[in-house]
Amino acid sequence: MEDFNPIKIEEKWRKKWEEEKRWEVDIENAENPYYNLMMFPYPSAEGLHIGNVYAFTGSDVHGRYMRMQGYDVFEPIGFDAFGIHSENFAIKQGMHPRDLIKKSTDNFRRQLKKTGNIYAWDHEVNTTHPKYYKWTQWLFLQLYKAGLAYHKEAPVQWCPSCMTVLANEQVIQGKCERCDSVVESKKLRQWFFKITDYADKLLDNLQEIDWSERTKIAQHNWIGKSIGYKLEFPVSKTDFSITTFTTRPDTLFGATYVVLSPEHHLVDQLKDKIENWDEVAKYIEDAKKKPQSEKLKEDREKTGVQLKGVNAVNPANKDEIPIFVADYVLVEYGTGAIMAVPAHDQRDFDFAVKYHMPIRPVVVPENDEQAKEITKNTQAYEGQGKLINSGPFDGLNSEEAKEKIGEHVEGEQDVHYHLRDWLISRQRYWGPPIPIIFCENCRKNQNEDAEEGIDWTTIEDTEYAVHPVPEKDLPVELPYVEDYKPKGKGTSPLAAVDEFVNVKCPECGEGAIRETDVSDTFLDSAWYFLRYPSINVESKPWDGKLNDKWLPVDAYIGGQEHAVLHLMYARFITMFLHDQGALKFEEPFKKFRAHGLLIKEGAKISKSRGNIVNPDEFFDHFGADTVRTYLMFLSPFEQGGDWRDEGIRGVHRFFGRVWGLVQKLDEEAKTNETVEQELHKTIKKVTEDIERLHYNTAIASMMTFLNTLYDNSHTKEDIKTLLILLTPFAPFITEELWEQLGEEGSVHDQEWPKFDPEKAKDDVITIPVQINGKVRAEIEVERGLSKEELEKAAMGDEKVKESMEGKEVKKIIVVPDKIVNIVV
RNA sequence: GGGCGAGUGGUGGAAUUGGUAUACACGGCGGACUUAAAAUCCGUGGCAAAUUGCCGUGAGGGUUCGAGUCCCUCCUCGCCCACCA
């Protein structure tokens, strides 16, 4: 009898599998392709996080299961190694990002190979490799040529301490995530992708894809479609008119003032008429200076200033109402101006109370009691109801009134989205250079008359023609720059590299300059899944035939934190490529499931908490099988798990017992009935639970089955079935024991066991007998007894008779095969 | 403020359409084995108790023969978004 030594076993098989390239699929000829994708990691210098192991294992269990269902599973892996994360860490370490990334990916690869996942290592993607980012740049050019990439001056978030622009996701409540400094707003020329062109498609397609509901809802909310009306408020005694956007035209009669955002263009145009211009100008100046964090503060008091000397006209009742400038109205949303209805919008209400504006209720609930309450004006009523104080529209339902009032004042139906265009330029070093050349000479020679349609831009007061880098010149390689740190001048460190910046214009051949910004990391990851199958194709981003075979992705697993960013961008890019005729599908991921967050003892795992779990330690001590199975045993995969160091011992013991079972196998023994029934039940449970990613209960039922095998006479076949069921979770020990049982071939090539639904049911079942809803007895009966038989059996039971003594039966509820309840 | 989700033993968590609450594990305690320890195996929701009884799924109410599950009111926690008109 051999001792159970998981480390030795795993080394043996790992080596063998690596030599055989055991998990590679025939990418060209696979008959049943199944693309099992996991969000590729950012290779942090600290090494693989236990949370990564958790996520990857969950995906791999699914992949291995599908493999045993007869699919040719392609499970690739790669590294999302560009980006500010890596760069910041490199700066901290005083190491060049390129060197650091090389080191980190090597370490990641070493750790990933320990996990026992069926990765297609021959298809590894690395976003920082010129052979990869050549096509990221190509993608940029396609978007540019299609008119979906544009250049515009826009405010960005700027950290004065780090002296750099920050990505939106690096700004936490108005502060820099690294140094906690308050972020400022700064205007810079930027590249944007017109993702908003796809807002409706991104929204509508959600209905057709098999994704976790919460992820779909997150995307739905992020796109944030609001349907409403554009309403005009003329400025009295002028030719100007203020265009407002509202989703509640039904409350128009309650609009008692109008608010412009401080950046609104009309403020300047009305300058001559405004009597308190100095005051207004000062307010606007202050508002611009106000840091982002101040604006985001939760209970921040609203401020504003009235434009004295001018009034707007409410188009519904022709009332002259005041105009304010206030920074609670955002220039970037809607029209940058609102009609304020204090009675029915809490924000307007707060403002109205402070500045003594009238509050006129125009919508009240149908219920009169509640209606009385509303008219007391203690807070805004934002619900639906019937109209009052609205002239000819009184009594109408607010829903109907929307359209009627909207039409009455000749408003224009209008739609707005929360989704904004995707800002993709970064003034940093560690990313793919944006493949654009600016030529001053070409701009000078552009025919003034033909200005339309020719793309040009202004950089530091000089006009340039904008040229895409010719595709034959791709990739625009990121030079190895010694001083790669951000300089804080609003430009990338690449701007200081003359050899990079100065270039011959591809059109006129004269001296020109390159765009020095790099693109957002999210662009790298927005298309990587298209590259995996075609990683060895040099002449194009992907091979059409391979693409047809493997894409779209069959199953995608990743973190909920990417619900809006990455997943939205990937969908947008796919839709765009589809419209270009480059892809046959619009949606990249047929099925998506978000895994939960792994925590430790109730707390988030983080360096600052000092509760880091080092996966290497556990791999080396217990082996990958145990780590994998323990992680999956914690809780439902989509819910997340709570890691405890001690808990892993239970799974270790379990495998010790599985091992022991094989060691003391009695070849002569026969299966008894209990084992047979339990076997079919277990197959059913494990299969169903793996399908719905409830790995924890799948494992629990295998533990139960193991206990049954220990307690009952069983055969080698029974053990073999258990091993097969365990394979997706524990690929090493199952293979080893398969070999020890003297079986041909590999456990991994076995067909997934099938269960007989009849045998998965017990023949004799225990039925509880309740009296007045309390369990008083249990009776053993055959399955399938009729109501009458069951009632008879229950009434005949000794315990039941005892409890019933001297009582009168009022009613008996009998649910066959379930329960008997006697009411007395 | 908005959206989403969750509250079950000391802990992680189980529980088809409403049908024996706490499966499977961890830890603690007790026991077996051992010279002893480790490992292994068995028992263990709480309170009282000879057999047994009562109480128990965040709180309160309701529907039902029967509620962790359905309905209403409330409380707490987590995540995401946030002055989006």
Side-chain angles (χ1 to χ4, degrees), chain A residues 312-323:
Chain A
V313 178
N314 183 327
N317 53 19
K318 309 296 176 202
D319 279 0
E320 292 223 355
I321 56 179
I323 304 171

Side-chain angles (χ1 to χ4, degrees), chain A residues 40 68 78 199 232 302 580 672 740 754 782 791 797 816:
Chain A
F40 65 165
M68 294 176 83
E232 296 292 335
K302 292 183 174 44
Q580 294 291 302
N672 77 13
Q740 282 187 23
K754 295 201 167 51
E782 268 176 53
E791 183 179 328
D797 184 82

